[in-house]
């Protein structure tokens, strides 16, 4: 015990001794229960994740979770150790103590509140403190929240009465939830730490204190904050009394009510009501009374009008906000679904104030809302869920309830403009647990199957819309030119012709090109991203944190810009894509001497090329807080981006500041009202096309199909067709069901690694993070009864097996976090290398690389009998097993060039110097007889290809080139040289551009060089 701590305790004892006995007794609270420890941080509660009891950190991305430790401190307020941690949070982050899911919840109802010791840093930051009430477990419970301000220095005991907690309305749990702080089924607590400041913290002695007085535990709640009603009808507002512990109230509660204020006029728009409700002592918790507010009908067309119902509560805590009745807008032209969209837009825009227009241009992260009432207060046009921003529990019903609650708030605005809610569903509804997760785009590109790409979009759209979400931030139309880029797997490939061919996914998401299908319950608005050149950033050009290439600078000639990076966006515009998202990256066009320009500030490319030249009539949405990267102060960021052509700005946490700044910039004349009207018109047009004005709430009729066998069958086919067979010496593939198989490697039985980043959370995670089938599970299902043994590290004996399957590769990452040089490389891990060496040294072996980009495996290629590029196949490992066991043929082709070494990067089809491990377009097949006939066969195929090209017979032309490719591949075998690789890769590009005759000619050149 330190001298300082001994002195502190001695002083405390002296002060206690000087207190009068009556005061000391009062302080102790003779009839109060002793404090009940929740956490002493002496090691009694482990660091562990649910469902076990434990402390665990969390955050919006890989850098956001705080670092936690139990630290011995001489000045610890209780015991010898305290909980300490460091944090540097850009998105959101904090830590939780969850109680064990397999044990009963805790009962806190006998106590007044919760308290803990906090070591203040006097930084003035608010820290949110949440408790978890009711529901099935700590991750499926209601969250009740409050906060305290760190405006002190040193240790301070923070006491929070349970009456200070309010229900978190952005979370919509389901199952045994009543939105009453019962305290009888508690699952733990959580703290959300400050963002935008680097810091550390120390905490100790979490405990329950005091006696819970029933008079303090009674509260009055209403069924909803907003009650919409047609003009002339009556609104029924249900008012309930509730108690913590769900016991009857022990004294009367009265609720005086009156209609007062608002935009509606008493006697003209509604009948004034006033009165008093009484809940006598002994009334059961949950008892309700109803107040009816009649509205009056007239012949006028009107905007929505509000009738607040003022509640004055005696004997209990009043609701956090008074409910309001909203008389729906009616009779105005923009509400007439029979009118053309253009006329509806013009009518509505003419009615909006500047502030309302600015609100429509604002998009906030749903978790950043100060209160749900901000939706109406700031006339917000849109909300989004960033990666991992999900309701609790993360199930379809919770999503639809959450979004419906947000939409209800938008009904309290003058013109009741619905929100458009967006989400990054980049390979299926990947934020939702149990959804069908498709292969990432790199795998879809490997399928070379445009119709299948469209079907994956259809499944994604159906699952997303069934949860109430009408807008998807997909597809990514980046053309990946350097596999060191952490977003490589978001691209369909390195060839713009391949990317363009896969844009059928837009029709899968949206339906018809004219937008007539967008109102359907299985379609969503698509987003072409990231405009333009995000896949061409130079290595070392990024200025974002520790990123090396993502968000960097794309330096190209105008010719290269047009041919490589712009071409896919022209196709997207032609396909009717509804929105376009600019890139974080900068564009530096060689020869114009302008230097790098941030894409969010590039008026030439957004206004000039995208909107004017290409004729894009949708709206442009910014990326996450991307305008903050534009040089200058915030006002400059706003006017520069809006004047450059951005229509809606994703300002996750700055929605209030953005809206105010935008209004100020317009009033100052630095942004024209015409530019604002254009932006709002574009946004409203898509809302009308989506049918949101007629049906703002979720249509959940398709929810039963989420993760269904029919949807998973599409994902399974996509996984199978995405598998690229790079080598197959001795015909080791397909496997036979009678073979004894030894399976090893880090990715054989890991669903999280198999699905990659952007799965459940932004960065993804290893392990069983959702429902699906691993590669190992798929193999065992494909060969029931066969001996298939698994040893992850290949430590088990290898004797007695016919063949080995080693599944290796990457662990999940997203965006610049995955950049090579930012803690990543293209090499296998030491453990995976050891597994490959051991298995391939003991038996015939098949190696599968589960990864978002090529892996450098050339030094082991001679010892590997069969090599498969599996990419990131999603949740359906059955699809991988289908080709391994010959249920389907291997048909995939490389969407990117497979390099020999990292020093070769960037390396792409069309390069003057081209010496890859495997060329672009390479892909062996099984179950298909490879054409024979050599040069004579190629001459005959050249004639067929020429005729097909002349007649526009694309199917015949593609078939001729495919036969020639298989013939040439067989000839080349493992003897891939620059002389064979370059014409081979060129041929696949020519095939995709419809030049079948020339493609066969290039393949003939490769054949002759082999």
């Amino acid at each position: 015990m330190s001298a300082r701590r001994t002195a502190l305790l001695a002083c405390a004892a002296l002060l206690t001794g000087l207190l009068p006995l009556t005061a000391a007794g009062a302080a102790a609270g003779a009839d109060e229960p002793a404090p009940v420890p929740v956490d002493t941080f002496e090691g009694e509660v482990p660091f562990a994740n649910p469902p076990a009891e434990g402390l665990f950190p969390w955050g919006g991305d890989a850098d956001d979770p705080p670092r936690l430790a139990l630290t011995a401190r001489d000045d610890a307020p209780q015991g010898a150790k305290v909980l300490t941690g460091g944090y540097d949070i850009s998105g959101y982050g904090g830590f939780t103590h969850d109680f064990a899911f397999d044990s009963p919840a805790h009962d806190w109802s006998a106590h007044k509140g919760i308290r803990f010791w906090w070591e203040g840093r006097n930084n003035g930051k608010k820290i949110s403190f949440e408790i978890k009430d009711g529901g099935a477990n700590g991750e499926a419970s209601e969250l009740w929240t409050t906060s305290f301000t760190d405006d002190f220095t040193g240790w301070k005991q923070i006491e929070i009465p349970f009456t200070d907690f309010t229900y978190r309305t952005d979370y919509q749990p389901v199952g045994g939830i009543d939105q009453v702080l019962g305290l009888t089924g508690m699952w733990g607590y959580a703290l959300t730490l400050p963002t935008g400041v680097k810091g550390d913290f120390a905490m100790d002695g979490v405990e329950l204190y005091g006696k819970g007085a029933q008079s303090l535990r009674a509260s009055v709640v209403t069924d909803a904050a907003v009650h919409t009603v047609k003009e002339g009808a009556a609104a029924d507002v249900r008012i309930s009394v509730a108690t913590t512990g769900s016991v009857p109230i022990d004294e009367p509660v009265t609720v005086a009510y009156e209609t007062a204020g608002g935009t509606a006029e008493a006697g003209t728009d509604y009948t004034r009501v006033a009165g008093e409700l009484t809940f006598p002592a002994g009334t059961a918790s949950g008892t309700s009374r109803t107040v009816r507010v009649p509205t009056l009908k007239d012949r006028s067309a009107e905007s929505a009008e509000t009738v607040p119902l003022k509640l004055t509560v005696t004997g209990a805590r009043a609701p956090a906000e008074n409910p309001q009745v909203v008389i729906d807008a009616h009779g105005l032209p923009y509400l007439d679904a029979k009118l053309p969209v253009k006329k509806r837009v013009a009518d509505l825009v003419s009615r909006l104030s500047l502030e309302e227009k600015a609100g429509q241009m604002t998009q906030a992260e749903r978790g950043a809302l100060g209160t749900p009432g901000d939706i109406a207060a700031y006339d917000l046009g849109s909300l989004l869920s960033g990666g991992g921003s999900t309701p609790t529990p993360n199930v379809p019903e919770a999503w639809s309830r959450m979004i419906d609650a947000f939409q209800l708030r938008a009904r309290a605005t003058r013109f009741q403009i619905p929100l458009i809610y967006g989400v990054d569903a980049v390979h299926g509804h990947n934020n939702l647990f149990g959804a069908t997760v498709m292969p990432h785009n790199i795998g879809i590109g490997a399928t070379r199957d445009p119709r299948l790409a469209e079907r994956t979009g259809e499944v994604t759209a159906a699952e997303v819309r069934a949860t109430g979400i009408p807008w998807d931030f997909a597809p990514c139309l980046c053309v990946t030119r350097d596999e060191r880029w952490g977003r490589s797997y978001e691209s369909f490939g390195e060839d713009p012709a391949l990317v363009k061919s896969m844009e059928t996914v837009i029709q899968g998401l949206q339906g018809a090109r004219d937008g007539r299908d967008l109102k359907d319950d299985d379609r969503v608005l698509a987003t072409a991203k990231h405009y333009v050149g995000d896949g061409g950033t130079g290595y070392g050009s990024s200025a974002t944190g520790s990123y090396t290439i993502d968000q960097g600078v794309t330096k190209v000639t105008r010719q290269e810009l047009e041919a490589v990076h712009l071409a896919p966006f022209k196709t997207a515009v032609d396909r009717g894509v509804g929105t376009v998202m600019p890139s974080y990256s900068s564009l530096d066009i060689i020869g114009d001497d302008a230097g790098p320009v941030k894409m969010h500030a590039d008026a030439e490319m957004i206004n000039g090329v995208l909107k004017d030249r290409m004729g894009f009539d949708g709206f442009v949405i910014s990326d996450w807080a991307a305008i903050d990267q534009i040089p200058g102060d915030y006002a400059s960021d706003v006017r520069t981006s809006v004047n450059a052509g951005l229509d809606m700005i994703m300002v996750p946490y700055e929605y209030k500041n953005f809206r105010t700044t935008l209004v100020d910039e317009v009033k100052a004349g630095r942004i024209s009202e015409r530019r604002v009207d254009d932006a709002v018109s574009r946004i409203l047009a898509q809302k009308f096309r989506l049918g949101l004005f007629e049906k703002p709430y979720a249509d959940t009729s398709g929810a039963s199909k989420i993760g269904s066998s029919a949807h998973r069958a599409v994902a399974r086919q996509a996984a199978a067709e995405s598998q690229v067979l790079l080598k197959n010496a001795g015909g080791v593939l397909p496997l036979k069901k009678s073979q004894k198989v030894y399976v090893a490697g880090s990715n054989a039985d890991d669903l999280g690694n198999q699905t990659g980043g952007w799965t459940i959370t932004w960065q993804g995670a290893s392990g069983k993070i959702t429902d699906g089938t691993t590669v190992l599970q798929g193999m065992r299902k494909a060969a029931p009864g066969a001996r298939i043994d698994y040893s992850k590290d290949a430590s088990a004996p290898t004797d007695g097996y016919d063949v080995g399957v080693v599944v290796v590769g990457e662990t999940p990452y997203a965006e610049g976090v995955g950049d090579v040089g930012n803690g990543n490389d293209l090499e296998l891990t030491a453990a995976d290398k050891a597994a490959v060496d051991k298995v391939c040294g003991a038996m015939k072996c098949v190696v599968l690389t589960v990864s978002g980009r090529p892996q450098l495996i050339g030094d082991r290629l001679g010892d590997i009998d069969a090599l498969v590029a599996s990419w990131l196949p999603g949740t359906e490992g059955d699809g991988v097993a289908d080709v391994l066991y010959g249920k389907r043929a291997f048909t995939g082709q490389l969407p990117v060039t497979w390099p020999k070494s990292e020093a070769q990067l960037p390396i792409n089809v069309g390069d003057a110097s081209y010496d890859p491990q495997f060329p672009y377009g390479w892909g062996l097949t099984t179950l298909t007889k490879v054409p024979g006939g050599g040069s004579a066969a190629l001459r005959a195929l050249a004639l067929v290809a020429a005729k097909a090209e002349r007649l526009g017979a694309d199917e015949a032309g593609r078939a001729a080139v495919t036969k020639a490719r298989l013939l040439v591949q067989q000839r080349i075998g493992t003897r891939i040289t620059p002389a064979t690789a370059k014409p081979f890769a060129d041929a696949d590009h020519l095939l995709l551009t419809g030049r079948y005759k020339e493609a066969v000619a290039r393949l003939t050149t490769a054949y002759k060089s082999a």
Side-chain angles (χ1 to χ4, degrees), residues 914-916 918-920 972 975-986 1006:
Y914 192 71
D915 183 21
F918 297 102
Y920 168 79
I972 294 173
R975 303 182 307 278
I976 298 172
T977 65
T980 58
K982 182 170 175 54
F984 184 93
D986 292 343

Side-chain angles (χ1 to χ4, degrees), residues 349-350 352-362 379 662 673 676-677 680:
V349 171
S350 71
L352 298 176
S353 68
L354 174 58
E355 288 74 16
E356 288 168 324
K357 293 172 183 176
Q360 285 301 300
M361 296 173 67
T362 307
D379 300 290
L662 176 56
E673 289 195 45
V676 169
D677 285 352
V680 175

Side-chain angles (χ1 to χ4, degrees), residues 724-774:
V724 180
L725 183 56
L726 299 172
K727 180 182 178 181
N728 193 23
V732 66
L733 289 175
L735 301 173
K736 299 177 180 63
K737 294 182 180 180
S738 60
Q739 288 177 309
K740 301 182 184 70
V741 184
Y742 185 103
V743 182
S746 60
N747 287 346
D749 195 32
D750 194 305
L751 194 63
N753 291 357
Q754 188 175 302
T755 52
W758 285 110
T759 310
I760 306 302
T761 59
W762 175 42
Q763 289 294 317
S766 300
K768 190 185 184 307
I769 60 172
T770 188
D771 290 334
T773 304
T774 66

Side-chain angles (χ1 to χ4, degrees), residues 13 259 267 272 352 409 417 562 796 863 869 944:
T259 49
R272 187 189 303 275
L352 298 176
R409 292 291 185 156
I417 302 173
E562 295 282 346
D863 299 323
V944 173

